[in-house]
Amino acid sequence: QEAYREMWENLNLDIAAHDGLLGVLGKFYGDIYMSQQGRLKGMEYLDFVLSEVHGLRIKELQDAKAQGRKIIGTFCVFVPEELALALDAVQVGLCAGADAGKEAAETLVPRNTCALIKSFIGFKLARLCPYTESCDLIVGETTCDGKKKAYEAFAEHAPMFVMEVPQTKSPAARALWKEEMLRYMARLEDLTGKKVTAEKLAEAIKTVNARRRALQRLNRLRAAVPTPISGRDVLLINQVSFYDDPVRFTASVNTLCDQLEERIKAGEGVAPKDAPRLMLSGCPMAVPNWKLPYVIESSGAVIVGEESCIGTRNTRDLVDESAGTLEEMLDALADRYMKIDCACFTPNDERLENVEAMASDLKVDGVIQYALMFCQPYAHEGIKVEKRLTAAGIPSMSLETDYSMEDVEQLKTRVEAFLETV
Ligand code: BJ8
């Protein structure tokens, strides 16, 4: 840690508070991750990345900046990483999964704002996140009301660009989204002093698709009975996918998948064959939000799928790689991103279909719907999802929580009661 102190000081972090954060994070990680039995060798890479999350990766970002590359921060899977990569920029998903700087955040946004929003504001105001401080541009999006209003306030503290994400899937909405992508591309070209070319964009599309394919492969393999990897580990892999170098990350996930294949061949699992198989569905679990998966898996169940943006919503759809011209590629990108079934869309029937299909493909015993407190879009859709699952004969339950640890025991009681019924 000492080796990085100067870098953190240069980023103007609050060093004492940051030391405290790393201490808590290290302990939390030890309890939730390192305590697991029978982990795969390939997870050592993830452990390493996580242990260096504020160290080596930040150093890499600083080195990239020294070479003139720009750092782009995001909070939503709607922001097309392909455009940043095509301009040699580095895109990182900013952490929004811990209760840090909450009091400060509540001076900018109302108290009844979801924990994810308060978290990214808190990290900024309390000067705790070296990623946020490394960014040349932070890209917001008009998804839920909480986020879009929060970005107005956040823009007073950070260099922001907000993309207008439509709320329906009509042809007019698709046209608006394409325009917004072009507006964003122009902003990025201005920032980097470069132009997106067909060649560079094709390469970027391949890079991001390769990462999606590796994660799809992981999701197919974990569906085996018994499941060869814990849900906690897969969540971590998805979380790391947002800030690690995409090419290196993809190679590591594929290596891990090779190990999973061997494990499956040998019939080995991380949990007994008859352990209840659950799927999570709903709000994204941003790093280091590991509370609910820990509660679920320490109750004897195993998580075999996450229907969320830090899960299959981010990896399910690929960009069509057959486009030849720049214009065709931009259309292919726009089409792919418009398939995202975020609860901010109305209507959003495709999500109901996707949740049901995923639950039956994975042969789950039940679905736990997860909503962050004060999240209107996912709480509303939770009612519809539950009806749909009930009609399909799939047990489900809904949990609302935030990032505090106060309700751990209560969550455990509810999860255990649910497990009795599946
Ligand atoms: S595409 S899910 S990453 S918006 S939890 S801030 S919705 S009040 S995160 Fe999301 Fe993009 Fe959609 Fe995915 Fe608002 Fe709800 Fe908070 Fe949320």
Side-chain angles (χ1 to χ4, degrees), residues 75-78 114 117 143-144 147 283-284 309 342 372 375 378:
F75 299 110
C76 175
V77 299
F78 253 100
C114 88
I117 295 172
T143 44
C144 68
K147 269 180 163 182
C283 289
C309 283
C342 171
L372 278 173
C375 173
Y378 283 92

Side-chain angles (χ1 to χ4, degrees), residues 10 16 29 55 142 162 172 220 225 243 267 276 348 371 376:
N10 290 340
Y29 193 72
T142 58
V162 178
R220 275 194 306 274
V225 183
Y243 60 85
N348 191 30
Q376 292 283 335

Side-chain angles (χ1 to χ4, degrees), residues 78 167-174 337-342 345-348 350:
F78 253 100
Q167 313 275 291
T168 73
K169 300 274 171 91
S170 67
R174 158 67 170 75
Y337 282 85
M338 284 300 283
K339 285 188 193 146
I340 298 172
D341 54 351
C342 171
F345 281 88
T346 178
N348 191 30
E350 63 261 50

